[in-house]
Amino acid sequence: MWTCWWLWPLVAVCTADQFLDQAKRIMQTTPVIDGHNDLPWQLLLKFNNELRQKDANLTSLTGTHTNIPKLKAGFVGGQFWSAYTPCNTQNKDAVKRTMEQIDVIHRMCQMYPETFLCVTSSQGIRQAFREGKVASLIGVEGGHSIDSSLGVLRALYHLGMRYLTLTHSCNTPWADNWLVDTGDHDAQSGGLSDDFGKSVVREMNRLGVIIDLAHVSVATMKAALNQSQAPVIFSHSSAFALCEHRRNVPDDVLQLVKQTGSLVMVNFYNDYVACKREANLSQVADHLDHIKKVAGAGAVGFGGDFDGVTRRQWTEAEVRGALADNLLRVFEAVEQASNHARDPEETPIEQNYLDSSCRTSYGYSAAPGLHLQPAALLASLTPLLLGPRLL
């Protein structure tokens, strides 16, 4: 056998080339839809969102994971761009910051129309595929971005938001985040609050906004999966059974994912893939395999290990599902469940749940002065008109 030692590297190279050619063939007609990309946040940190700076040119951008040549080389046909603002903006300028990040995503589409097509629907994604462009969608990463306001939720929808991550790494007054499960944060809502938290889920269903559970606690995962009338996604999470990081999805939740036709889009971050500083694509493929085993092939969002997936006996249809078709199915189901003819949710969150240090209280209590109902105002003026005139 020793005389054939040279054969095995040659076989490995040929096999890899075969799988790579197969992956390229598949992705030419089914390009990948990626559930989460933080490039807009990098544009803020590096350039203060000034896209016309020379170094901000997306065709030659360096120092980031993403630029236009990399998107093309990776056969990316759809991208949810993250409109992210950190938790330290909660109760401060979160809404302003979020709107600025939505604005920069729109400007990316305006500056590079040959590459990006901003869309808000599953049909828009398919149109971008036909035109050979990157369908660009907006995901708002963190419920603190709506500032506990159903009106802000609706406004962000009208600006193009098509998924909302219910929390980032902080609780909102109506939902608990993943750090509750580590013991670093205290539970406030027991998952979703019975009143406002569930109202947010109902309103997202009504509008047609995808519910994203990537950063939430297990209790929030289960509450949202049981409450939502449409499938949900985990836009960038992996399997807890393979890496016991609390940002990942445990098997009992994967069972709910299966029952609801929902989707887990596997993350590439080393800490979530291998629970250590270094990880490899084979380990990413292990997460894909595990989610497929527990929740079914339709529950997998593709993470990038095309060679690994093919070697592991995934059918071509399952690979296409992981690349794009599963996300399109979920998006279409969310759209079908929406009902703009139904009355919007209107009941505001109770004032005592809000940090009031930087807030006014209009609507919660009568403002000082003559802010009275007309009848009460007339009643208060009448004695003055009828009484003696004082000089």
Side-chain angles (χ1 to χ4, degrees):
M1 293 292 292
W2 65 270
T3 57
C4 296
W5 65 267
W6 55 269
L7 178 62
W8 301 114
L10 179 61
V11 170
V13 170
C14 292
T15 302
D17 287 344
Q18 173 192 345
F19 287 133
L20 181 60
D21 290 343
Q22 186 177 1
K24 288 180 177 179
R25 176 183 62 79
I26 292 171
M27 296 183 76
Q28 284 171 351
T29 54
T30 309
V32 66
I33 300 173
D34 180 32
H36 188 85
N37 190 306
D38 279 309
L39 178 63
W41 179 245
Q42 293 301 318
L43 295 175
L44 173 65
L45 296 183
K46 292 176 178 293
F47 310 110
N48 201 21
N49 286 343
E50 296 177 45
L51 299 186
R52 297 196 181 278
Q53 288 190 33
K54 180 180 178 181
D55 291 342
N57 190 318
L58 297 187
T59 62
S60 55
L61 182 66
T62 60
T64 62
H65 296 152
T66 307
N67 59 31
I68 288 173
K70 290 177 181 178
L71 290 168
K72 291 181 177 179
F75 294 90
V76 176
Q79 182 66 70
F80 276 93
W81 301 106
S82 175
Y84 164 71
T85 189
C87 283
N88 63 8
T89 65
Q90 184 163 212
N91 299 313
K92 298 174 185 174
D93 57 349
V95 175
K96 167 186 173 289
R97 291 284 186 178
T98 301
M99 292 180 70
E100 289 173 344
Q101 294 310 103
I102 289 175
D103 170 73
V104 82
I105 295 167
H106 285 298
R107 286 190 287 124
M108 284 168 53
C109 292
Q110 292 166 359
M111 286 190 66
Y112 303 94
E114 71 287 347
T115 299
F116 301 125
L117 180 65
C118 275
V119 303
T120 57
S121 67
S122 58
Q123 286 302 311
I125 296 175
R126 297 183 190 279
Q127 178 186 345
F129 282 6
R130 291 192 294 269
E131 296 181 11
K133 298 180 180 180
V134 179
S136 295
L137 302 102
I138 297 169
V140 172
E141 190 182 13
H144 60 284
S145 284
I146 69 168
D147 199 25
S148 298
S149 167
L150 294 167
V152 172
L153 173 66
R154 287 186 283 269
L156 295 182
Y157 168 81
H158 291 303
L159 290 174
M161 174 186 71
R162 286 302 179 269
Y163 80 59
L164 173 67
T165 317
L166 295 189
T167 72
H168 196 254
S169 297
C170 53
N171 292 339
T172 66
W174 43 273
D176 291 339
N177 84 100
W178 67 278
L179 289 169
V180 167
D181 296 331
T182 68
D184 292 318
H185 289 177
D186 293 331
Q188 292 179 220
S189 302
L192 279 176
S193 66
D194 285 335
D195 42 19
F196 193 78
K198 292 183 178 179
S199 182
V200 168
V201 168
R202 288 193 298 269
E203 188 65 0
M204 291 175 70
N205 285 164
R206 188 190 74 85
L207 290 168
V209 177
I210 301 170
I211 294 165
D212 176 28
L213 303 179
H215 278 265
V216 305
S217 70
V218 170
T220 308
M221 294 177 192
K222 293 178 178 178
L225 281 158
N226 285 315
Q227 170 79 15
S228 178
Q229 298 300 303
V232 309
I233 67 169
F234 294 77
S235 66
H236 54 304
S237 298
S238 298
F240 183 81
L242 300 188
C243 171
E244 293 186 354
H245 194 293
R246 287 298 180 179
R247 273 281 284 101
N248 288 338
V249 188
D251 280 1
D252 58 340
V253 175
L254 287 177
Q255 292 290 347
L256 289 174
V257 167
K258 180 178 182 179
Q259 294 168 20
T260 57
S262 296
L263 182 66
V264 179
M265 306 183 84
V266 172
N267 196 304
F268 270 49
Y269 185 43
N270 292 352
D271 284 355
Y272 306 159
V273 171
C275 286
K276 56 186 179 181
R277 292 177 62 87
E278 295 183 358
N280 57 52
L281 290 178
S282 179
Q283 290 169 310
V284 174
D286 291 340
H287 284 269
L288 297 167
D289 282 344
H290 183 81
I291 295 167
K292 177 187 172 185
K293 177 182 176 182
V294 177
V300 183
F302 194 74
D305 187 15
F306 315 128
D307 179 29
V309 166
T310 306
R311 279 189 290 109
R312 296 162 186 247
Q313 280 75 53
W314 285 56
T315 68
E316 183 170 318
E318 289 171 342
V319 172
R320 291 184 187 276
L323 287 168
D325 291 348
N326 292 342
L327 186 281
L328 285 168
R329 172 188 57 76
V330 168
F331 199 178
E332 288 166 353
V334 170
E335 291 169 333
Q336 291 166 8
S338 69
N339 183 1
H340 287 223
R342 199 180 80 214
D343 290 341
E345 298 287 322
E346 288 190 333
T347 304
I349 192 169
E350 292 182 21
Q351 188 179 15
N352 61 297
Y353 286 109
L354 301 175
D355 181 333
S356 61
S357 59
C358 295
R359 298 176 186 275
T360 57
S361 59
Y362 297 115
Y364 286 105
S365 61
L370 295 179
H371 189 195
L372 301 171
Q373 292 297 324
L377 182 61
L378 287 173
S380 65
L381 285 175
T382 300
L384 296 177
L385 294 174
L386 296 176
R389 179 177 167 183
L390 297 177
L391 297 177

